[in-house]
Amino acid sequence: MRTQVAIIGAGPAGLLLSHLLAERGVASVVVEVRSRAYVEKRVRAGVLEQGTVDTLVAAGVGERLIREGLPHRGIELRYGGAGHRIAFEDLVPGREITVYGQQEVVKDLIAARLAAGGDVRFDVGEVTVHGADSDAPHLVVDGERIDCDFIAGCDGFHGVSRASFPDGMITEYERVYPFSWLGVLAEVAPSADELIYARTGRGFALHSMRSPTVSRFYLQVPSGDRVEEWPDERIWAELKARLETVPGFTLATGPVFEKSITPLRGYVAEPMRHGRLFLAGDAAHIVPPTGAKGLNLAVADVRVLTAAIADWYATGATGGLDAYSATCLERVWRAQHFSWWMTTLLHTFDEDPYAQRLQLSHLDYVTSSRAAATTLAENYVGLPYGDEA
């Protein structure tokens, strides 16, 4: 068969790319090795930048997001026995974040693509990339050849897309942190109206939420810890020890129905393009979740790629395609720095007392200086897009 754009991966990047291309009159096929049930239930990030929300709403897939998402106009930094609110409405007027699970975004996009007659194929077997450096790129999916003009690799860090680049072409940059995050979903109403980022001598903790009845928590844990080592009782005891550090705050508890451990690291692959093959989202970059940038970076990549491909079909211009990698990487590295900054600001490291005092001094500066707080706020809610889409 033939299509215009072959997309590998039915996560938020691949599905949104297919949807945005269809709005521009560009046909695509999305292939995914996992089942629809798996990708719709896979728990990932839940903080959407202002620009991400605006993109989804403008694309006609934000109805449920607007109805069920939880807008937040600030976050709390908790340390030293006190809470300090970073007020988005004051520091970056008109911009906020919305808490809405990534799996919910995926459900909305799948429903929209299928309702529009989009070609989304789940449970495929082997996928291989061919001819990326030619004018006739194609995929082979379970023995079937799919000819196309462009291939979009939206298949995550372990997918086939980045591995299809020629040996030695990609320069990899990586920072591995000496701890992991234990993530927990619990059937309990949130104990606060906004996210709480807590720095303690016991380690970092994050209080978040997914809905008025479901809360999301994270704990900094040693690298190598296993989920089996963290029974519910231990999780709640540690969350209470790290979050109940200000007068009058009590953490509500409830049944835990999902938990997992994720190592923290930052990763960037350069370039993000090889011929007619373009990487987007986790296939090209990973950020520690402290800055809440993973899904949002994928959306930013897709906006740039959509505009570049649509321009090529409309005018034959190659400027957007040629600039794709550099354009995306500018935002990627800004997000890498912000995520690193938030991680080093709030986590406990095995460092000398001098480094610990520096960390506390930096926290004092961020929570007392309007200029420093504004830097955090404008990066957290997401820097404005250009006019690419």
Side-chain angles (χ1 to χ4, degrees), residues 219-367:
L219 283 169
Q220 175 187 349
V221 300
S223 295
D225 270 20
R226 296 176 296 110
V227 169
E228 294 76 19
E229 300 175 77
W230 285 90
D232 296 359
E233 296 78 9
R234 184 185 179 191
I235 290 172
W236 288 120
E238 196 61 35
L239 282 169
K240 283 179 167 289
R242 298 186 195 187
L243 290 168
E244 292 182 345
T245 57
V246 299
F249 179 84
T250 300
L251 181 68
T253 64
V256 173
F257 64 90
E258 196 276 338
K259 49 184 156 180
S260 60
I261 292 180
T262 304
L264 261 66
R265 60 186 176 134
Y267 172 88
V268 180
E270 295 188 11
M272 293 170 58
R273 175 196 183 184
H274 167 51
R276 297 290 185 95
L277 170 60
F278 297 82
L279 304 180
D282 288 357
H285 41 73
I286 302 287
V287 288
T290 326
K293 294 301 169 205
L295 169 60
N296 297 295
L297 279 181
V299 170
D301 291 346
V302 165
R303 286 174 56 95
V304 176
L305 187 54
T306 298
I309 291 175
D311 192 29
W312 185 85
Y313 280 112
T315 69
T318 62
L321 298 171
D322 294 338
Y324 171 75
S325 187
T327 301
C328 292
L329 285 168
E330 182 177 358
R331 182 177 288 265
V332 166
W333 279 111
R334 174 88 298 276
Q336 288 284 340
H337 178 267
F338 178 66
S339 300
W340 165 85
W341 181 73
M342 287 284 285
T343 302
T344 56
L345 185 67
L346 293 162
H347 288 74
T348 301
F349 291 79
D350 293 328
E351 295 178 331
D352 58 58
Y354 180 87
Q356 295 172 15
R357 292 294 294 160
L358 285 180
Q359 185 186 48
L360 291 172
S361 175
H362 197 169
L363 275 166
D364 287 340
Y365 177 60
V366 169
T367 56

Side-chain angles (χ1 to χ4, degrees), residues 355-389:
Q356 295 172 15
R357 292 294 294 160
L358 285 180
Q359 185 186 48
L360 291 172
S361 175
H362 197 169
L363 275 166
D364 287 340
Y365 177 60
V366 169
T367 56
S368 63
S369 164
R370 183 178 179 86
T374 300
T375 295
L376 190 159
E378 68 179 2
N379 280 275
Y380 197 92
V381 302
L383 299 176
Y385 290 128
D387 57 359
E388 67 274 356

Side-chain angles (χ1 to χ4, degrees), residues 9-12 15 32-45 101-104 106-107 122 154-156 185 216 258:
L15 292 165
E32 168 61 54
V33 298
R34 304 282 192 172
S35 69
R36 177 179 177 179
Y38 177 88
V39 300
E40 288 187 337
K41 293 179 180 179
R42 181 170 45 190
V43 176
R44 290 291 186 271
Q102 176 173 310
Q103 68 269 31
E104 305 306 321
V106 168
K107 291 175 187 176
F122 296 99
C154 306
D155 50 346
L185 280 171
R216 179 69 160 161
E258 196 276 338

Side-chain angles (χ1 to χ4, degrees), residues 44-351:
R44 290 291 186 271
V47 174
L48 307 185
E49 293 178 354
Q50 181 72 59
T52 297
V53 173
D54 293 345
T55 298
L56 294 171
V57 171
V61 290
E63 179 182 352
R64 196 162 66 95
L65 162 61
I66 295 301
R67 185 174 68 249
E68 299 178 12
L70 305 175
H72 286 206
R73 297 176 177 85
I75 60 172
E76 179 185 326
L77 301 183
R78 183 173 292 186
Y79 69 99
H84 308 266
R85 186 169 184 264
I86 305 298
F88 301 155
E89 73 273 20
D90 177 42
L91 299 167
V92 283
R95 299 181 68 79
E96 60 190 21
I97 59 98
T98 299
V99 174
Y100 188 69
Q102 176 173 310
Q103 68 269 31
E104 305 306 321
V105 175
V106 168
K107 291 175 187 176
D108 295 341
L109 287 167
I110 290 174
R113 293 308 304 129
L114 296 181
D119 191 345
V120 184
R121 307 179 185 187
F122 296 99
D123 285 312
V124 305
E126 184 180 19
V127 179
T128 54
V129 176
H130 304 271
D133 56 351
S134 73
D135 292 334
H138 61 278
L139 301 181
V140 175
V141 181
D142 293 337
E144 178 187 8
R145 176 168 171 149
I146 302 178
D147 290 294
C148 55
D149 297 316
F150 301 102
I151 299 171
C154 306
D155 50 346
F157 183 80
H158 298 289
V160 301
S161 298
R162 190 179 68 257
S164 300
F165 278 51
D167 291 343
M169 181 180 181
I170 288 178
T171 300
E172 298 179 296
Y173 301 89
E174 187 171 26
R175 169 64 57 88
V176 177
Y177 294 87
F179 40 74
S180 299
W181 269 19
L182 169 63
V184 174
L185 280 171
E187 292 179 0
V188 59
S191 300
D193 294 331
E194 296 176 338
L195 278 71
I196 302 172
Y197 287 77
R199 186 268 185 200
T200 75
R202 303 175 66 95
F204 167 80
L206 173 60
H207 173 291
S208 183
M209 60 284 295
R210 285 296 179 268
S211 76
T213 59
V214 175
S215 294
R216 179 69 160 161
F217 303 98
Y218 296 98
L219 283 169
Q220 175 187 349
V221 300
S223 295
D225 270 20
R226 296 176 296 110
V227 169
E228 294 76 19
E229 300 175 77
W230 285 90
D232 296 359
E233 296 78 9
R234 184 185 179 191
I235 290 172
W236 288 120
E238 196 61 35
L239 282 169
K240 283 179 167 289
R242 298 186 195 187
L243 290 168
E244 292 182 345
T245 57
V246 299
F249 179 84
T250 300
L251 181 68
T253 64
V256 173
F257 64 90
E258 196 276 338
K259 49 184 156 180
S260 60
I261 292 180
T262 304
L264 261 66
R265 60 186 176 134
Y267 172 88
V268 180
E270 295 188 11
M272 293 170 58
R273 175 196 183 184
H274 167 51
R276 297 290 185 95
L277 170 60
F278 297 82
L279 304 180
D282 288 357
H285 41 73
I286 302 287
V287 288
T290 326
K293 294 301 169 205
L295 169 60
N296 297 295
L297 279 181
V299 170
D301 291 346
V302 165
R303 286 174 56 95
V304 176
L305 187 54
T306 298
I309 291 175
D311 192 29
W312 185 85
Y313 280 112
T315 69
T318 62
L321 298 171
D322 294 338
Y324 171 75
S325 187
T327 301
C328 292
L329 285 168
E330 182 177 358
R331 182 177 288 265
V332 166
W333 279 111
R334 174 88 298 276
Q336 288 284 340
H337 178 267
F338 178 66
S339 300
W340 165 85
W341 181 73
M342 287 284 285
T343 302
T344 56
L345 185 67
L346 293 162
H347 288 74
T348 301
F349 291 79
D350 293 328
E351 295 178 331

